[in-house]
Amino acid sequence: MTVNPTELMDELHIDQNPTELTTVTTLINEATEIVNHSVSSTETQYQASSIYDLAIKTLATQLYYDRELSRGMSAGLLMMLDQLQGMVSGSDPDGT
């Protein structure tokens, strides 16, 4: 699965104009990189999880409204990253 910029914009009620689309697409790309590097630089099996897309959407949303993440990552996002890390480390036996 991948995060679709226009779907995220619909979920967040963001006007779909070229400027906003570019911004949201860039933030999704940045969020994807951050999530990937937070979980594993070599493994990719966790990317099939719905938690993966949710983590990207959550971080992209946080970045949209607070580019500096002035309060850090939310507790919910950190929990999602922990779950994804568990899939990689093997502490989550069924990989879900």
Side-chain angles (χ1 to χ4, degrees):
M1 294 179 64
T2 58
V3 177
N4 181 303
T6 55
E7 289 176 9
L8 182 58
M9 292 171 76
D10 283 343
E11 289 177 26
L12 300 175
H13 304 284
I14 297 172
D15 292 337
Q16 291 196 16
N17 62 56
T19 302
E20 291 295 334
L21 180 59
T22 299
T23 299
V24 170
T25 300
T26 299
L27 293 174
I28 289 171
N29 292 338
E30 291 170 356
T32 301
E33 288 295 314
I34 292 168
V35 169
N36 287 340
H37 290 289
S38 295
V39 177
S40 175
S41 61
T42 57
E43 300 292 329
T44 60
Q45 75 270 18
Y46 64 91
Q47 295 176 358
S49 170
S50 60
I51 296 172
Y52 176 70
D53 285 344
L54 183 57
I56 292 170
K57 285 181 176 184
T58 301
L59 183 53
T61 300
Q62 290 177 0
L63 288 168
Y64 182 82
Y65 292 108
D66 179 10
R67 300 287 201 282
E68 297 176 354
L69 293 177
S70 60
R71 295 183 178 174
M73 293 181 181
S74 70
L77 176 59
L78 294 175
M79 179 194 68
M80 291 175 220
L81 293 175
D82 285 345
Q83 291 294 312
L84 294 170
Q85 290 167 350
M87 291 176 200
V88 172
S89 70
S91 63
D92 186 358
D94 65 359
T96 58

